[in-house]
Structure formats: C-alpha cells, structure tokens
Amino acid sequence: MTEQADALVVFGITGDLARRMTLPALYRLIEQGHLTCTVLAVGRRSLSRDEFEELIRDAVTDAVDEVEKGVLSKLIKCMTYVDGDVSDETLYDRIRDELGDAKAPVFYVAIPPAGFARVAEGIAGAGLVRNARLVVEKPFGTDLESARELNRKLTAIFPEDQLYRIDHFLG
C-alpha cells in the first residue's frame, strides 16, 4: 500500500498550464480539505516571495469566480518556491533540503516531455525515489517511438507502481 503523500513537488509552476489549471486546482483541493501537505513549487524564473504570492493570487482569481480569502491564504502559506533549471543538478539538492523530513513525496511534472527523464534522473540523483511517486503529464513523448524510449527511461528509475501518466486536464 502506498503511503499518503506528505509533500507535493510541482515542476513547471510558472508555466501557462500551471497558471490556468494547476494553481486553481490546488486552490480547489485546499477548499475541499484534500490538500493537507506542503507544496514545493519549482520554476525556471527567479521570483521573490512577494512575486510568487502574486503569481498564485493572480492565477486563482483569474480562474475562480468567488475566491475565499481564507482558502487562498492557506494555499499561499502551504507553498514554497524554488527556482532553477531542471538540467542543473544542484536544483535537486535544494529540493531535497526543502523537503526536509518528507517520507512520501509526490513529484508532479508539468513541463514539456523532453524534460521528464531529466527530472526523474535528478530526483534519483538526490536520493529521493524511495517511497516517492512521479506524475508526468501528457503529452508523453512526441510519437510512439519517443514515448516508448521515455517510458523505458522512467521505469528504469521509478517502479511502475510509483509512476503515473496523466492527461493535464485531469491533473
């Protein structure tokens, strides 16, 4: 049986899909009482805490008709931002440090498919695979051959029961 997640790491938080879908979905999960762990948001851009909070606030208010200030405040408080490029090995060390005592993190990868394997390798290199789950959004590769190759790379790092492939609209 899989342990309940005690941390959520979202790669690609500053992207357009995260703004339109992921951040509003996190708001809804807080609102419904389903998101109870900390959220570590990862993006390429360097953002101050104020800029990051503004990004969250803008994404939620653009997508949600009646924003409850208490729910939005709770979302903002549970989120921490780490900037860096997924090809930079030091990013994963910083993620590990931010995760602290987390025992069962979920890594949600909402970036282009070309970066999926690099993220998985970085997570593994930082010693974060044990009890972790990796969630990758479709599109999964660019064609059948690249999807098979990507699947081979990911399953070499994450056992099948720790790897989830989802459509970003369902994420």
Side-chain angles (χ1 to χ4, degrees), residues 2 6 13 19 22 25 40 84 86 91 101 103 130:
T2 305
D6 56 2
I13 202 69
R19 179 181 172 78
T22 308
L40 183 58
V86 297
L91 171 64
D101 295 334
K103 303 271 188 263
R130 187 171 184 258

Side-chain angles (χ1 to χ4, degrees), residues 119-159:
V119 169
E121 291 163 356
I123 292 167
L128 295 170
V129 173
R130 187 171 184 258
N131 293 326
R133 284 161 276 179
L134 180 69
V135 181
V136 294
E137 287 191 346
K138 286 173 38 183
F140 191 81
T142 55
D143 56 23
L144 182 57
E145 183 179 325
S146 66
R148 285 181 174 157
E149 177 63 15
L150 178 57
N151 193 62
R152 186 191 62 71
K153 288 178 180 179
L154 294 179
T155 55
I157 297 168
F158 281 88

Side-chain angles (χ1 to χ4, degrees), residues 29-129:
L29 289 171
I30 291 277
E31 182 180 51
Q32 297 164 8
H34 296 300
L35 182 60
T36 58
C37 64
T38 60
V39 178
L40 183 58
V42 181
R44 287 185 298 189
R45 294 188 310 188
S46 177
L47 297 175
S48 68
R49 179 65 193 182
D50 288 342
E51 290 170 326
F52 180 56
E53 289 180 11
E54 182 179 353
L55 179 123
I56 297 167
R57 207 174 283 108
D58 289 349
V60 171
T61 56
D62 286 351
V64 176
D65 290 333
E66 295 182 29
V67 176
E68 293 180 40
K69 287 182 181 180
V71 175
L72 181 57
S73 177
K74 192 172 182 179
L75 174 62
I76 289 170
K77 285 179 184 168
C78 83
M79 294 187 74
T80 302
Y81 183 72
V82 174
D83 66 357
D85 189 284
V86 297
S87 64
D88 180 0
E89 290 181 27
T90 65
L91 171 64
Y92 303 95
D93 294 334
R94 290 186 289 130
I95 290 169
R96 183 188 59 233
D97 294 345
E98 286 290 337
L99 286 173
D101 295 334
K103 303 271 188 263
V106 171
F107 295 94
Y108 186 90
V109 186
I111 62 173
F116 292 176
R118 180 62 199 110
V119 169
E121 291 163 356
I123 292 167
L128 295 170
V129 173

Side-chain angles (χ1 to χ4, degrees), residues 10-32:
V10 181
F11 286 85
I13 202 69
T14 59
D16 184 56
L17 281 176
R19 179 181 172 78
R20 289 186 295 118
M21 303 185 98
T22 308
L23 286 165
L26 293 174
Y27 171 88
R28 293 293 188 199
L29 289 171
I30 291 277
E31 182 180 51
Q32 297 164 8

